[in-house]
Coordinates of all heavy atoms in Angstrom, one line a residue:
M1 N -6.0 8.8 167.7 CA -6.5 10.1 168.0 C -5.4 11.1 167.7 O -4.3 11.0 168.0 CB -6.8 10.1 169.5 CG -6.9 11.5 170.1 SD -6.9 11.6 172.0 CE -7.7 10.1 172.5
Q2 N -5.8 12.1 166.9 CA -4.9 13.1 166.5 C -4.6 14.1 167.6 O -5.6 14.6 168.2 CB -5.4 13.9 165.3 CG -4.3 14.8 164.6 CD -4.7 15.2 163.2 OE1 -5.7 14.9 162.7 NE2 -3.8 16.0 162.6
I3 N -3.4 14.3 168.0 CA -3.0 15.2 169.1 C -2.3 16.4 168.7 O -2.1 17.3 169.5 CB -2.2 14.4 170.2 CG1 -0.9 13.8 169.6 CG2 -3.0 13.3 170.8 CD1 0.0 13.2 170.6
H4 N -1.9 16.5 167.5 CA -1.3 17.7 166.9 C -1.4 17.6 165.4 O -1.8 16.5 164.9 CB 0.2 17.7 167.4 CG 0.9 19.0 167.2 ND1 1.5 19.4 166.1 CD2 1.0 20.1 168.1 CE1 2.0 20.6 166.3 NE2 1.7 21.0 167.5
R5 N -1.0 18.6 164.7 CA -1.2 18.5 163.3 C -0.6 17.3 162.6 O -1.2 16.7 161.8 CB -0.5 19.8 162.6 CG -0.8 19.9 161.1 CD -0.4 21.2 160.6 NE -0.7 21.2 159.1 CZ -0.4 22.2 158.3 NH1 0.1 23.3 158.8 NH2 -0.7 22.1 157.1
Y6 N 0.6 16.9 163.0 CA 1.3 15.7 162.4 C 1.6 14.6 163.4 O 2.4 13.8 163.2 CB 2.6 16.1 161.7 CG 2.4 17.0 160.5 CD1 2.8 18.4 160.5 CD2 1.7 16.5 159.4 CE1 2.6 19.2 159.4 CE2 1.5 17.3 158.3 CZ 1.9 18.7 158.3 OH 1.7 19.5 157.2
L7 N 0.9 14.7 164.5 CA 1.1 13.6 165.6 C -0.2 12.9 165.9 O -1.3 13.6 166.0 CB 1.7 14.3 166.8 CG 3.1 14.9 166.7 CD1 3.4 15.6 168.0 CD2 4.1 13.8 166.4
E8 N -0.1 11.6 166.1 CA -1.2 10.8 166.4 C -0.9 9.9 167.6 O 0.2 9.4 167.7 CB -1.6 9.9 165.2 CG -2.9 9.2 165.3 CD -3.3 8.7 163.9 OE1 -2.5 8.0 163.3 OE2 -4.4 9.0 163.4
L9 N -1.9 9.8 168.5 CA -1.7 8.9 169.6 C -2.5 7.6 169.4 O -3.6 7.6 169.1 CB -2.3 9.6 170.9 CG -2.4 8.7 172.1 CD1 -1.0 8.3 172.6 CD2 -3.2 9.4 173.2
D10 N -1.7 6.5 169.5 CA -2.4 5.2 169.4 C -2.5 4.7 170.9 O -1.5 4.3 171.5 CB -1.5 4.2 168.6 CG -2.1 2.8 168.5 OD1 -3.0 2.5 169.4 OD2 -1.8 2.1 167.6
A11 N -3.7 4.9 171.5 CA -3.8 4.6 172.9 C -3.6 3.2 173.2 O -3.1 2.8 174.3 CB -5.2 5.1 173.3
A12 N -4.0 2.3 172.3 CA -3.8 0.8 172.6 C -2.4 0.5 172.6 O -1.9 -0.3 173.4 CB -4.6 0.0 171.5
A13 N -1.6 1.0 171.7 CA -0.2 0.7 171.6 C 0.6 1.6 172.5 O 1.9 1.5 172.7 CB 0.3 0.9 170.2
E14 N 0.0 2.7 173.1 CA 0.6 3.6 174.0 C 1.8 4.3 173.2 O 2.9 4.3 173.8 CB 1.0 3.0 175.3 CG -0.2 2.5 176.1 CD 0.1 2.0 177.5 OE1 1.3 2.0 177.8 OE2 -0.8 1.7 178.2
A15 N 1.6 4.7 172.0 CA 2.7 5.3 171.2 C 2.2 6.5 170.5 O 1.0 6.7 170.1 CB 3.2 4.2 170.2
I16 N 3.2 7.4 170.2 CA 2.9 8.6 169.4 C 3.6 8.3 168.0 O 4.7 7.9 168.0 CB 3.5 9.8 170.1 CG1 2.7 10.1 171.4 CG2 3.4 11.0 169.1 CD1 3.3 11.3 172.2
S17 N 2.8 8.6 167.0 CA 3.4 8.4 165.6 C 3.1 9.6 164.7 O 2.3 10.5 165.1 CB 2.8 7.1 165.0 OG 1.4 7.3 164.9
C18 N 3.8 9.6 163.6 CA 3.7 10.7 162.6 C 2.5 10.4 161.7 O 2.4 9.3 161.2 CB 5.0 10.7 161.8 SG 5.0 11.8 160.4
T19 N 1.6 11.4 161.5 CA 0.5 11.2 160.7 C 0.8 11.2 159.2 O 0.1 10.7 158.4 CB -0.6 12.3 160.9 OG1 0.0 13.5 160.6 CG2 -1.1 12.3 162.3
E20 N 2.0 11.7 158.8 CA 2.4 11.7 157.4 C 2.9 10.4 156.9 O 2.6 10.0 155.9 CB 3.5 12.8 157.2 CG 2.9 14.2 157.1 CD 2.1 14.4 155.9 OE1 2.7 14.5 154.8 OE2 0.9 14.5 156.0
C21 N 3.7 9.7 157.8 CA 4.4 8.5 157.3 C 4.1 7.3 158.2 O 4.4 6.2 157.8 CB 5.9 8.7 157.2 SG 6.7 8.8 158.8
G22 N 3.4 7.5 159.3 CA 3.0 6.4 160.2 C 4.1 5.9 161.1 O 3.9 4.9 161.9
T23 N 5.3 6.5 161.0 CA 6.4 6.0 161.9 C 6.1 6.3 163.3 O 5.6 7.3 163.7 CB 7.7 6.8 161.5 OG1 8.1 6.4 160.2 CG2 8.9 6.5 162.5
T24 N 6.4 5.3 164.2 CA 6.3 5.5 165.6 C 7.4 6.3 166.1 O 8.6 6.0 165.8 CB 6.3 4.1 166.4 OG1 5.1 3.4 165.9 CG2 6.2 4.3 167.9
I25 N 7.1 7.4 166.8 CA 8.2 8.3 167.2 C 8.7 8.0 168.6 O 9.9 8.0 168.9 CB 7.7 9.8 167.1 CG1 7.5 10.1 165.6 CG2 8.7 10.7 167.7 CD1 6.9 11.5 165.3
C26 N 7.7 7.7 169.5 CA 8.1 7.4 170.9 C 6.9 6.8 171.6 O 5.8 6.7 171.1 CB 8.6 8.7 171.6 SG 7.3 9.9 171.8
N27 N 7.2 6.4 172.9 CA 6.1 5.9 173.7 C 5.2 7.1 174.1 O 5.7 8.3 174.1 CB 6.7 5.3 175.0 CG 7.4 4.0 174.7 OD1 7.0 3.3 173.8 ND2 8.4 3.7 175.5
A28 N 4.0 6.9 174.4 CA 3.0 7.9 174.6 C 3.4 8.9 175.7 O 3.1 10.1 175.7 CB 1.6 7.4 174.9
E29 N 4.1 8.4 176.7 CA 4.4 9.3 177.9 C 5.7 10.0 177.7 O 6.1 10.8 178.6 CB 4.4 8.5 179.2 CG 3.0 8.0 179.5 CD 2.9 7.1 180.8 OE1 3.7 6.2 180.9 OE2 2.0 7.4 181.6
E30 N 6.4 9.8 176.6 CA 7.7 10.4 176.4 C 7.5 11.8 175.6 O 6.4 12.0 175.1 CB 8.6 9.5 175.6 CG 9.1 8.3 176.3 CD 10.0 7.5 175.5 OE1 9.5 6.8 174.5 OE2 11.2 7.4 175.8
N31 N 8.5 12.6 175.6 CA 8.5 13.8 174.9 C 8.9 13.6 173.4 O 10.0 13.3 173.1 CB 9.4 14.8 175.5 CG 9.4 16.2 174.9 OD1 8.7 16.4 173.9 ND2 10.1 17.2 175.5
Y32 N 7.9 13.7 172.5 CA 8.2 13.4 171.1 C 9.3 14.3 170.5 O 10.0 13.9 169.6 CB 6.9 13.6 170.2 CG 6.5 15.0 170.1 CD1 6.9 15.8 169.0 CD2 5.7 15.6 171.0 CE1 6.5 17.1 168.9 CE2 5.3 17.0 170.9 CZ 5.8 17.7 169.8 OH 5.4 19.0 169.7
R33 N 9.5 15.5 171.1 CA 10.5 16.4 170.6 C 11.9 15.8 170.8 O 12.8 16.0 170.0 CB 10.5 17.7 171.3 CG 9.2 18.5 170.9 CD 9.2 19.9 171.6 NE 7.9 20.5 171.5 CZ 7.8 21.8 171.4 NH1 8.8 22.6 171.4 NH2 6.5 22.3 171.4
K34 N 12.1 15.0 171.9 CA 13.4 14.4 172.2 C 13.7 13.2 171.2 O 14.8 12.8 171.2 CB 13.5 14.0 173.6 CG 13.5 15.1 174.6 CD 13.7 14.7 176.0 CE 13.8 15.9 177.0 NZ 14.0 15.4 178.4
H35 N 12.7 12.8 170.5 CA 12.8 11.6 169.6 C 12.8 12.1 168.2 O 12.7 11.3 167.2 CB 11.8 10.6 169.9 CG 11.9 10.0 171.3 ND1 12.7 8.9 171.5 CD2 11.4 10.4 172.5 CE1 12.7 8.6 172.8 NE2 11.9 9.5 173.4
S36 N 12.6 13.4 168.0 CA 12.6 14.0 166.6 C 14.0 14.3 166.2 O 14.9 14.4 166.9 CB 11.7 15.3 166.7 OG 10.4 15.0 167.2
A37 N 14.1 14.6 164.9 CA 15.3 15.2 164.4 C 15.3 16.7 164.6 O 14.3 17.4 164.2 CB 15.5 14.9 162.9
M38 N 16.2 17.2 165.4 CA 16.2 18.6 165.8 C 17.3 19.4 165.0 O 18.4 19.0 164.9 CB 16.5 18.8 167.3 CG 16.4 20.2 167.7 SD 16.4 20.4 169.5 CE 18.2 20.4 169.8
R39 N 16.9 20.6 164.5 CA 17.8 21.5 163.9 C 17.8 22.8 164.7 O 16.7 23.3 165.0 CB 17.5 21.7 162.5 CG 18.4 22.7 161.8 CD 18.2 22.8 160.3 NE 16.9 23.3 159.9 CZ 16.4 23.2 158.7 NH1 17.0 22.7 157.7 NH2 15.2 23.7 158.5
T40 N 18.9 23.4 165.0 CA 18.9 24.7 165.7 C 19.6 25.7 164.9 O 20.4 25.4 164.1 CB 19.6 24.6 167.1 OG1 21.0 24.2 166.8 CG2 19.0 23.6 168.0
G41 N 19.2 27.0 165.1 CA 19.8 28.1 164.4 C 19.5 29.4 165.0 O 18.7 29.4 166.1
P42 N 19.9 30.5 164.5 CA 19.6 31.8 165.0 C 18.1 32.1 164.9 O 17.5 31.5 164.0 CB 20.4 32.8 164.2 CG 20.8 32.0 162.9 CD 20.8 30.6 163.3
I43 N 17.6 32.9 165.7 CA 16.1 33.2 165.7 C 15.7 33.8 164.3 O 14.5 33.7 164.0 CB 15.6 34.0 166.9 CG1 16.2 35.4 166.8 CG2 15.9 33.4 168.2 CD1 15.5 36.4 167.8
T44 N 16.6 34.4 163.6 CA 16.2 35.0 162.3 C 15.8 33.9 161.3 O 15.1 34.2 160.4 CB 17.4 35.7 161.7 OG1 18.6 34.9 161.7 CG2 17.7 37.0 162.5
E45 N 16.1 32.6 161.6 CA 15.6 31.5 160.7 C 14.2 31.3 160.9 O 13.6 30.5 160.1 CB 16.4 30.2 161.0 CG 17.9 30.3 160.5 CD 18.6 29.0 160.6 OE1 18.0 28.0 160.9 OE2 19.8 29.1 160.4
A46 N 13.5 31.9 161.9 CA 12.1 31.7 162.1 C 11.3 32.5 161.0 O 10.1 32.3 160.9 CB 11.7 32.1 163.5
G47 N 11.9 33.4 160.4 CA 11.2 34.2 159.4 C 11.6 35.6 159.4 O 12.3 36.1 160.3
V48 N 11.1 36.3 158.4 CA 11.5 37.8 158.2 C 11.2 38.6 159.4 O 11.9 39.5 159.7 CB 10.8 38.3 156.9 CG1 11.0 39.8 156.7 CG2 11.3 37.5 155.7
P49 N 10.0 38.4 160.1 CA 9.7 39.3 161.2 C 10.7 39.2 162.4 O 10.6 40.1 163.3 CB 8.3 38.8 161.7 CG 7.8 38.0 160.5 CD 8.9 37.4 159.8
F50 N 11.5 38.2 162.4 CA 12.4 37.9 163.6 C 13.7 38.6 163.3 O 14.6 37.9 162.7 CB 12.5 36.5 163.9 CG 11.1 35.9 164.3 CD1 10.3 35.3 163.3 CD2 10.7 36.0 165.6 CE1 9.0 34.8 163.7 CE2 9.4 35.5 165.9 CZ 8.6 34.9 165.0
V51 N 13.9 39.8 163.7 CA 15.1 40.5 163.5 C 16.2 40.0 164.5 O 15.8 39.6 165.6 CB 14.9 42.0 163.6 CG1 13.9 42.5 162.6 CG2 14.5 42.4 165.0
P52 N 17.5 40.2 164.2 CA 18.5 39.8 165.1 C 18.4 40.6 166.4 O 18.1 41.8 166.4 CB 19.8 40.2 164.4 CG 19.4 40.2 162.9 CD 18.0 40.7 162.9
P53 N 18.5 39.9 167.5 CA 18.4 40.5 168.9 C 19.3 41.7 169.0 O 18.9 42.7 169.6 CB 18.7 39.4 169.9 CG 18.5 38.2 169.1 CD 18.8 38.5 167.7
E54 N 20.5 41.6 168.4 CA 21.4 42.8 168.6 C 20.9 44.0 167.9 O 21.2 45.1 168.3 CB 22.8 42.4 168.1 CG 22.9 41.8 166.7 CD 22.8 40.3 166.7 OE1 22.1 39.7 167.5 OE2 23.3 39.7 165.7
D55 N 20.0 43.9 166.8 CA 19.4 45.0 166.2 C 18.3 45.6 167.0 O 18.0 46.8 167.0 CB 18.9 44.6 164.8 CG 20.0 44.3 163.8 OD1 21.2 44.4 164.2 OD2 19.6 43.9 162.7
K56 N 17.6 44.7 167.7 CA 16.4 45.1 168.5 C 16.8 45.6 169.9 O 16.2 46.6 170.3 CB 15.5 43.8 168.7 CG 14.1 44.1 169.1 CD 13.2 44.4 168.0 CE 11.8 44.4 168.5 NZ 10.9 44.9 167.4
I57 N 17.7 45.0 170.6 CA 18.0 45.4 172.0 C 19.4 45.8 172.2 O 19.8 46.1 173.3 CB 17.6 44.3 173.0 CG1 18.4 43.0 172.7 CG2 16.1 44.0 172.9 CD1 18.2 41.9 173.7
G58 N 20.2 45.8 171.1 CA 21.5 46.3 171.2 C 22.6 45.4 171.7 O 23.7 45.8 171.9
R59 N 22.3 44.1 171.9 CA 23.3 43.2 172.3 C 22.9 41.8 171.9 O 21.7 41.5 171.6 CB 23.4 43.2 173.9 CG 22.2 42.8 174.6 CD 22.4 42.7 176.1 NE 21.2 42.5 176.8 CZ 20.5 41.3 177.0 NH1 21.1 40.3 176.4 NH2 19.4 41.3 177.6
K60 N 23.9 40.9 171.8 CA 23.6 39.5 171.4 C 22.9 38.8 172.6 O 23.1 39.2 173.7 CB 24.9 38.8 171.1 CG 25.5 39.1 169.7 CD 26.6 38.2 169.4 CE 27.1 38.3 168.0 NZ 26.2 37.5 167.1
T61 N 22.1 37.8 172.2 CA 21.5 37.0 173.2 C 21.9 35.5 173.0 O 22.5 35.2 172.0 CB 20.0 37.0 173.1 OG1 19.6 36.5 171.9 CG2 19.5 38.5 173.2
D62 N 21.6 34.7 173.9 CA 21.8 33.2 173.6 C 20.5 32.5 173.2 O 20.4 31.3 173.4 CB 22.5 32.6 174.9 CG 21.6 32.7 176.1 OD1 20.5 33.4 176.0 OD2 21.9 32.0 177.1
L63 N 19.7 33.3 172.6 CA 18.4 32.7 172.1 C 18.7 31.9 170.8 O 19.5 32.2 170.0 CB 17.4 33.7 171.8 CG 16.8 34.5 173.0 CD1 15.9 35.6 172.5 CD2 16.0 33.5 173.8
E64 N 17.9 30.8 170.7 CA 18.0 30.0 169.4 C 16.6 29.6 169.0 O 15.7 29.6 169.8 CB 18.9 28.8 169.6 CG 18.4 27.7 170.5 CD 19.4 26.5 170.7 OE1 20.5 26.6 170.2 OE2 18.9 25.5 171.3
F65 N 16.6 29.2 167.7 CA 15.3 28.7 167.1 C 15.5 27.2 166.8 O 16.5 26.8 166.2 CB 15.1 29.5 165.8 CG 13.8 29.0 165.0 CD1 12.6 29.1 165.6 CD2 13.9 28.5 163.8 CE1 11.4 28.7 164.9 CE2 12.8 28.1 163.0 CZ 11.6 28.2 163.6
R66 N 14.6 26.5 167.4 CA 14.7 25.0 167.3 C 13.6 24.5 166.4 O 12.4 24.9 166.5 CB 14.6 24.3 168.6 CG 15.7 24.7 169.6 CD 15.4 24.2 171.0 NE 16.5 24.5 171.9 CZ 16.4 24.4 173.2 NH1 15.3 23.9 173.8 NH2 17.4 24.7 174.0
E67 N 13.9 23.6 165.5 CA 12.9 22.9 164.7 C 13.0 21.4 164.9 O 14.0 20.9 165.0 CB 13.1 23.2 163.2 CG 13.0 24.7 162.8 CD 13.5 25.0 161.4 OE1 14.7 24.9 161.2 OE2 12.6 25.2 160.5
F68 N 11.8 20.8 165.0 CA 11.7 19.4 165.3 C 11.0 18.7 164.1 O 9.9 19.1 163.7 CB 10.9 19.1 166.6 CG 11.6 19.8 167.7 CD1 11.2 21.1 168.1 CD2 12.5 19.1 168.5 CE1 11.8 21.7 169.2 CE2 13.1 19.8 169.6 CZ 12.8 21.1 169.9
F69 N 11.7 17.7 163.5 CA 11.2 17.0 162.3 C 11.0 15.5 162.6 O 11.6 14.9 163.5 CB 12.2 17.1 161.2 CG 12.6 18.5 160.8 CD1 13.7 19.1 161.4 CD2 11.9 19.2 159.8 CE1 14.0 20.4 161.1 CE2 12.2 20.5 159.5 CZ 13.3 21.1 160.1
C70 N 10.0 14.9 161.9 CA 9.8 13.5 162.0 C 11.2 12.9 161.6 O 11.7 13.2 160.5 CB 8.7 13.0 161.0 SG 8.6 11.2 160.8
P71 N 11.7 11.9 162.3 CA 13.0 11.3 162.0 C 12.9 10.4 160.7 O 14.0 10.1 160.2 CB 13.3 10.4 163.2 CG 12.0 10.2 163.9 CD 11.1 11.4 163.6
E72 N 11.7 10.1 160.3 CA 11.6 9.3 159.1 C 11.3 10.1 157.8 O 12.1 10.0 156.8 CB 10.5 8.2 159.3 CG 10.4 7.3 158.1 CD 11.6 6.4 157.9 OE1 12.3 6.1 158.9 OE2 11.8 5.9 156.7
C73 N 10.3 10.9 157.8 CA 9.9 11.6 156.6 C 10.2 13.1 156.6 O 10.1 13.8 155.6 CB 8.4 11.5 156.4 SG 7.3 12.4 157.5
A74 N 10.7 13.6 157.8 CA 11.2 15.0 157.9 C 10.1 16.0 157.8 O 10.5 17.2 157.6 CB 12.3 15.3 156.9
V75 N 8.9 15.7 158.0 CA 7.8 16.7 158.1 C 8.1 17.5 159.4 O 8.6 17.0 160.4 CB 6.4 16.1 158.1 CG1 6.1 15.4 159.4 CG2 5.4 17.2 157.9
L76 N 7.9 18.8 159.3 CA 8.1 19.7 160.4 C 7.0 19.5 161.4 O 5.9 19.8 161.2 CB 8.2 21.2 160.0 CG 8.4 22.2 161.1 CD1 9.8 22.0 161.8 CD2 8.4 23.6 160.5
L77 N 7.4 19.0 162.6 CA 6.4 18.7 163.7 C 6.2 19.9 164.6 O 5.0 20.2 164.9 CB 6.9 17.6 164.5 CG 7.2 16.2 163.8 CD1 7.8 15.3 164.8 CD2 5.9 15.7 163.3
Q78 N 7.2 20.7 164.9 CA 7.0 21.8 165.9 C 8.3 22.7 165.9 O 9.4 22.2 165.4 CB 6.8 21.2 167.3 CG 6.5 22.2 168.3 CD 5.2 22.9 168.1 OE1 5.3 23.9 167.3 NE2 4.1 22.5 168.6
T79 N 8.1 23.9 166.4 CA 9.3 24.8 166.5 C 9.2 25.4 167.9 O 8.2 25.4 168.6 CB 9.2 25.9 165.5 OG1 8.0 26.7 165.7 CG2 9.2 25.4 164.1
E80 N 10.3 25.9 168.4 CA 10.3 26.6 169.7 C 11.5 27.6 169.7 O 12.5 27.4 169.0 CB 10.4 25.7 170.9 CG 11.7 24.9 171.0 CD 11.7 23.9 172.1 OE1 10.6 23.3 172.4 OE2 12.8 23.6 172.7
F81 N 11.3 28.7 170.5 CA 12.4 29.6 170.8 C 12.9 29.2 172.2 O 12.0 29.0 173.1 CB 11.9 31.0 170.8 CG 11.6 31.5 169.4 CD1 10.2 31.6 169.0 CD2 12.5 32.0 168.5 CE1 9.9 32.0 167.7 CE2 12.2 32.4 167.3 CZ 10.9 32.5 166.9
A82 N 14.2 29.2 172.4 CA 14.7 28.9 173.8 C 16.1 29.5 173.9 O 16.7 29.8 172.9 CB 14.7 27.4 174.0
K83 N 16.5 29.6 175.1 CA 17.9 29.9 175.4 C 18.7 28.6 175.0 O 18.2 27.5 175.2 CB 18.2 30.3 176.8 CG 17.6 31.7 177.1 CD 18.1 32.1 178.5 CE 17.7 33.6 178.7 NZ 18.2 34.1 180.0
E84 N 20.0 28.8 174.6 CA 20.7 27.6 174.1 C 20.8 26.5 175.1 O 20.9 25.3 174.8 CB 22.1 28.1 173.7 CG 22.1 29.0 172.5 CD 23.4 29.7 172.3 OE1 24.4 29.4 173.0 OE2 23.5 30.5 171.3
D85 N 20.9 26.8 176.4 CA 21.0 25.7 177.4 C 19.7 25.4 178.1 O 19.6 24.6 179.1 CB 22.0 26.1 178.5 CG 21.8 27.4 179.2 OD1 20.8 28.1 178.7 OD2 22.5 27.8 180.1
D86 N 18.6 25.9 177.6 CA 17.3 25.5 178.1 C 16.9 24.1 177.7 O 17.3 23.6 176.6 CB 16.1 26.4 177.6 CG 16.0 27.7 178.3 OD1 16.7 27.8 179.4 OD2 15.3 28.6 177.8
P87 N 16.2 23.3 178.6 CA 15.8 22.0 178.2 C 14.7 22.1 177.1 O 14.1 23.2 176.9 CB 15.2 21.4 179.4 CG 14.8 22.6 180.3 CD 15.8 23.7 179.9
I88 N 14.5 21.0 176.4 CA 13.5 21.0 175.3 C 12.1 21.0 176.0 O 11.9 20.2 176.9 CB 13.7 19.7 174.4 CG1 15.0 19.8 173.7 CG2 12.5 19.5 173.5 CD1 15.5 18.6 172.9
I89 N 11.2 21.8 175.5 CA 9.9 21.9 176.0 C 9.1 20.6 175.8 O 9.2 20.0 174.8 CB 9.1 23.1 175.4 CG1 9.8 24.4 175.7 CG2 7.7 23.1 175.8 CD1 9.3 25.6 174.9
H90 N 8.4 20.2 176.9 CA 7.6 19.0 176.8 C 6.1 19.6 176.7 O 5.5 19.8 177.8 CB 7.8 18.1 178.0 CG 7.1 16.8 177.9 ND1 7.3 15.8 178.8 CD2 6.3 16.2 176.9 CE1 6.6 14.7 178.5 NE2 6.0 15.0 177.3
D91 N 5.6 19.8 175.5 CA 4.3 20.5 175.4 C 3.1 19.6 175.4 O 2.0 20.0 175.7 CB 4.4 21.3 174.1 CG 4.5 20.5 172.8 OD1 5.1 19.4 172.9 OD2 4.1 20.9 171.7
I92 N 3.3 18.3 175.1 CA 2.1 17.4 175.1 C 2.4 16.3 176.0 O 3.3 15.4 175.7 CB 1.9 16.8 173.6 CG1 1.5 18.0 172.7 CG2 0.7 15.9 173.7 CD1 1.3 17.6 171.2
E93 N 1.8 16.3 177.2 CA 2.0 15.2 178.2 C 0.7 14.4 178.2 O -0.4 14.9 178.5 CB 2.3 15.8 179.5 CG 3.6 16.6 179.5 CD 4.0 17.0 180.9 OE1 3.9 16.2 181.9 OE2 4.4 18.2 181.1
I94 N 0.8 13.1 177.8 CA -0.3 12.2 177.8 C -0.5 11.5 179.1 O 0.5 11.0 179.7 CB -0.1 11.1 176.7 CG1 0.3 11.8 175.3 CG2 -1.3 10.2 176.6 CD1 -0.8 12.6 174.7
D95 N -1.7 11.6 179.6 CA -2.1 10.8 180.8 C -2.8 9.6 180.4 O -4.0 9.6 180.2 CB -3.0 11.7 181.7 CG -3.3 11.0 183.0 OD1 -2.9 9.8 183.2 OD2 -4.0 11.6 183.9
L96 N -2.0 8.5 180.3 CA -2.6 7.2 179.8 C -3.7 6.7 180.7 O -4.7 6.1 180.2 CB -1.5 6.2 179.6 CG -0.6 6.4 178.4 CD1 0.6 5.4 178.4 CD2 -1.3 6.4 177.1
D97 N -3.5 6.9 182.0 CA -4.5 6.4 183.0 C -5.9 7.0 182.7 O -6.9 6.3 182.8 CB -4.1 6.6 184.4 CG -2.8 5.8 184.8 OD1 -2.6 4.8 184.1 OD2 -2.1 6.3 185.7
S98 N -5.9 8.3 182.4 CA -7.2 8.9 182.2 C -7.9 8.5 180.9 O -9.1 8.5 180.7 CB -7.1 10.4 182.2 OG -6.4 10.8 181.0
L99 N -7.1 8.0 179.9 CA -7.6 7.5 178.6 C -8.3 6.1 178.8 O -9.2 5.8 178.1 CB -6.5 7.3 177.6 CG -5.9 8.6 177.0 CD1 -4.8 8.3 176.1 CD2 -7.0 9.4 176.3
S100 N -7.8 5.4 179.8 CA -8.4 4.0 179.9 C -9.6 4.0 180.9 O -10.2 3.0 181.1 CB -7.3 3.1 180.5 OG -6.8 3.5 181.7
E101 N -9.9 5.2 181.5 CA -11.1 5.2 182.4 C -12.4 5.3 181.6 O -12.5 5.7 180.5 CB -10.9 6.5 183.3 CG -9.8 6.3 184.3 CD -9.6 7.6 185.1 OE1 -10.3 8.6 184.8 OE2 -8.7 7.6 186.0
Ligands
ZN1 ZN1 6.9 11.1 159.4

């Protein structure tokens, strides 16, 4: 079952894998982002519309832009904005019990 553009849930194996290369990324109940290859940088790396915070609000921030890639084929799985010391967002939480009902 496809759960995101490049993520697939194998309910029988209870695993999340990459739809591009088939690599198993993690167990279904884990946060795939924590098992991805992560790159961080300034928010300006998100694209032209994202101006440096110091230009917008007059001071530096501790915001960063995070990119998460498949650890095998490096397809871009997801991105997020966060403060540097914020935990990684767990955006897809699988309830395996409800799948087996
Ligand atoms: Zn992959």
